[in-house]
Amino acid sequence: MRFFSHYPKEIKVFLLASLINAIGSALMWPLVTMFVFDQLGRSMSDAGLVILVQSLGGIAGQLLGGSLYHKVGVKRLIIGALALNAVCLLFLPMLSESWPIFIAAMGLIGLFNSSSMPAIQAFVGFRFADRRGELFNVIYVANNIGVAIGTALSGFLADISYSLSFTMNGVSSGLFAFFFMIYLQRVGTTSSSAGGVKLKKLSPENASGWSLLLDVRLYLFMALGGMLINLGNSIWNTGVSPFIISEGLPKQMFGYLWTLNGIMIFVAQPVTNFIKRLAARTITAQLTASSLFYLSGYIAILSMHSFTGMIVGMVLTTLGEMLIAPAIPAFLSERGGKHAPFYLGLAGGIGSAGRVIGPYLMGHLYDIGQLTPVAWLAVVTAAVSAISFSVHAFINHPARLAKQQLSGKSSKEAAVTVETH
């Protein structure tokens, strides 16, 4: 990855705004459960319900944002979603006085925040087409730095006031909306060839949503692989976390694992770059390699059953995370053509389902047999995701696609010949 200073000013400003927004978002998400349990005096089941509603809102937001990109326009969609998210966050402390309204507000926060995500990813893919893969990786790193900073600040703000954390998140979302209002006016929102964007059009240019949905080779196996990865990754909160507590280990050790995760995302970029050059030169190969790293990490947790195993597992799964996070938006931006926003939202929504299903399944398994069945489930999901990514790589191999396109062209020419005779 190139040094930050080597990027044009336009990209630097965008990365800085993304970093600030990530810090603001991270102020809130660790505190939702604490706020419901401590401030509102509700049960942990109620706290889980809030997280579930917010997650379901996020899935709906991903799907909605991808579908509305060309209908509403990138500027209205991004600014509107971020602004509505900011309003909900700013009024959340007052809305919490009514439990049903608070739950609905959390669902809307998930909806509005996620609606902007496929739009922003698509804009990056269109605007910076020649270096989209590199830029998605840089944004991923910057966002994780923001999450690390925000998570660290959230504890201090919570000691002062939960409402302050929500307010700061709302302010950051509002500032991000204002940034895009100015930014998009200056750089423009076109994604045509006039803007220097080169799109590989593998989906029909004027297709209905249903026909795009039926083009499963472009997104389905990749999205299912991502969903399984997210499901298996629930092992950390619903397997490793209670295991550390049940073993009598200091709770800080769970925090150390995530500190390791954050440090690796920043300093291990040369490692993943080496992996890409050596064995994962294509985006589809990166996806398969990521699942194998996840699989290796979960096997380490399953076989060792110790904090050392957790460390090894975190190192390996973090490498998998670093490979998959920028690869999915880069692939869909490159191959989805004009309809990339639709596929980004669709794949994001399917992938997010794993985060909804995972905690419930693994929590149930942990109650039955503690860490062992949870780790086995993670191993199985990673193995199946590797198969799914392999199928995705096979059906999207350039030579295979070229052969299919040539065959389709020949069939059309033959039909014309028969018709003229």
Side-chain angles (χ1 to χ4, degrees), residues 255-268:
Y256 294 156
L257 290 173
W258 289 109
T259 301
L260 175 62
N261 173 266
I263 292 173
M264 278 196 62
I265 289 171
F266 185 66
V267 303

Side-chain angles (χ1 to χ4, degrees), residues 189-397:
T189 60
T190 59
S191 59
S192 63
S193 57
V197 179
K198 300 175 182 178
L199 303 177
K200 293 185 178 180
K201 301 172 183 175
L202 297 186
S203 56
E205 278 300 297
N206 297 309
S208 65
W210 181 248
S211 63
L212 294 176
L213 201 63
L214 291 177
D215 190 7
V216 294
R217 60 143 178 86
L218 187 63
Y219 73 92
L220 182 60
F221 293 100
M222 178 174 63
L224 289 176
M227 182 191 72
L228 290 166
I229 290 294
N230 288 331
L231 195 160
N233 218 29
S234 298
I235 188 176
W236 298 106
N237 289 326
T238 7
V240 171
S241 175
F243 176 80
I244 287 175
I245 294 173
S246 64
E247 291 294 301
L249 299 172
K251 296 182 180 66
Q252 297 95 312
M253 287 190 169
F254 186 63
Y256 294 156
L257 290 173
W258 289 109
T259 301
L260 175 62
N261 173 266
I263 292 173
M264 278 196 62
I265 289 171
F266 185 66
V267 303
Q269 291 296 317
V271 177
T272 52
N273 287 337
F274 175 75
I275 293 170
K276 292 174 186 177
R277 289 195 302 269
L278 181 67
R281 296 183 179 180
T282 64
I283 297 178
T284 52
Q286 289 171 32
L287 293 171
T288 305
S290 74
S291 62
L292 295 178
F293 274 108
Y294 275 106
L295 176 61
S296 302
Y298 298 148
I299 290 174
I301 295 173
L302 176 64
S303 58
M304 294 188 190
H305 264 61
S306 65
F307 190 69
T308 301
M310 312 297 178
I311 293 175
V312 174
M314 180 59 81
V315 169
L316 292 170
T317 56
T318 300
L319 290 174
E321 177 190 346
M322 293 169 69
L323 288 170
I324 193 176
I328 290 179
F331 178 87
L332 292 174
S333 296
E334 179 181 341
R335 303 295 182 91
K338 175 184 175 182
H339 303 292
F342 175 85
Y343 288 115
L344 285 164
L346 185 60
I350 294 173
S352 296
R355 298 190 184 96
V356 177
I357 301 169
Y360 175 78
L361 285 179
M362 291 192 171
H364 182 67
L365 289 174
Y366 192 89
D367 289 339
I368 295 174
Q370 295 195 325
L371 185 60
T372 298
V374 172
W376 268 114
L377 177 60
V379 167
V380 170
T381 57
V384 178
S385 73
I387 296 172
S388 187
F389 285 140
S390 298
V391 172
H392 175 74
F394 174 75
I395 62 179
N396 285 281
H397 193 278

Side-chain angles (χ1 to χ4, degrees), residues 32-43 46-47 50 92-99 102-103 106 162 166:
V32 173
T33 301
M34 294 172 60
F35 176 75
V36 172
F37 183 73
D38 182 28
Q39 187 77 13
L40 301 183
R42 312 290 299 199
S43 66
D46 287 338
V50 171
L92 190 61
M94 288 183 287
L95 298 176
S96 65
E97 295 178 4
S98 170
W99 178 243
F102 175 75
I103 293 177
M106 291 300 296
Y162 286 110
F166 299 148

